[in-house]
Amino acid sequence: LYMSGGPSHLETLDHKPKLAELDGKPMPDSFTKGQPIAQLQGQKLNCLGPRFRFAKHGKSGQEISDIMPYTAKLADDIAIIRSMHTDQINHDPAHTVMNTGTSISGR
């Protein structure tokens, strides 16, 4: 499931228990250190945990959010890829990495 501007992976198929623990707490410096957060420079940043509950589904035990009840019924019939990673913290550069493998525009 990927939709530009669609629901966050953190609210659908990518459960992050640590993020839930940090809900409302100051964002650890290690998350943003060295990152270009232009619009947020000097502002107090707090973590926002998931707004929906996750549960395990199917024989595979896939953790899927309650906002996707139909998808949850298909847990054993779908592949969920959770191995993608980027060091880009901003949305558009992260898209570029996802689609090209590099954060350099024009590829």
Side-chain angles (χ1 to χ4, degrees):
L1 173 72
Y2 175 78
M3 295 181 286
S4 183
S8 168
H9 61 101
L10 300 171
E11 297 290 357
T12 55
L13 300 167
D14 196 7
H15 182 48
K16 302 285 190 201
K18 184 66 174 176
L19 184 58
E21 281 179 40
L22 292 171
D23 186 36
K25 296 179 182 170
M27 186 169 295
D29 290 335
S30 62
F31 287 18
T32 58
K33 188 175 184 176
Q35 292 289 343
I37 313 174
Q39 299 88 346
L40 304 174
Q41 292 291 340
Q43 293 187 31
K44 180 182 173 194
L45 303 177
N46 288 329
C47 293
L48 179 64
R51 304 290 95 183
F52 303 95
R53 192 176 70 82
F54 279 76
K56 293 184 182 218
H57 295 275
K59 291 179 183 175
S60 59
Q62 295 282 18
E63 290 187 277
I64 299 174
S65 170
D66 285 351
I67 65 170
M68 301 181 75
Y70 180 76
T71 302
K73 292 178 186 177
L74 304 172
D76 291 331
D77 299 319
I78 60 175
I80 299 173
I81 299 169
R82 295 187 177 115
S83 58
M84 294 185 75
H85 173 78
T86 179
D87 58 356
Q88 298 297 313
I89 196 168
N90 290 318
H91 199 81
D92 286 337
H95 269 165
T96 303
V97 170
M98 179 186 71
N99 291 313
T100 68
T102 180
S103 60
I104 300 169
S105 297
R107 295 218 175 161

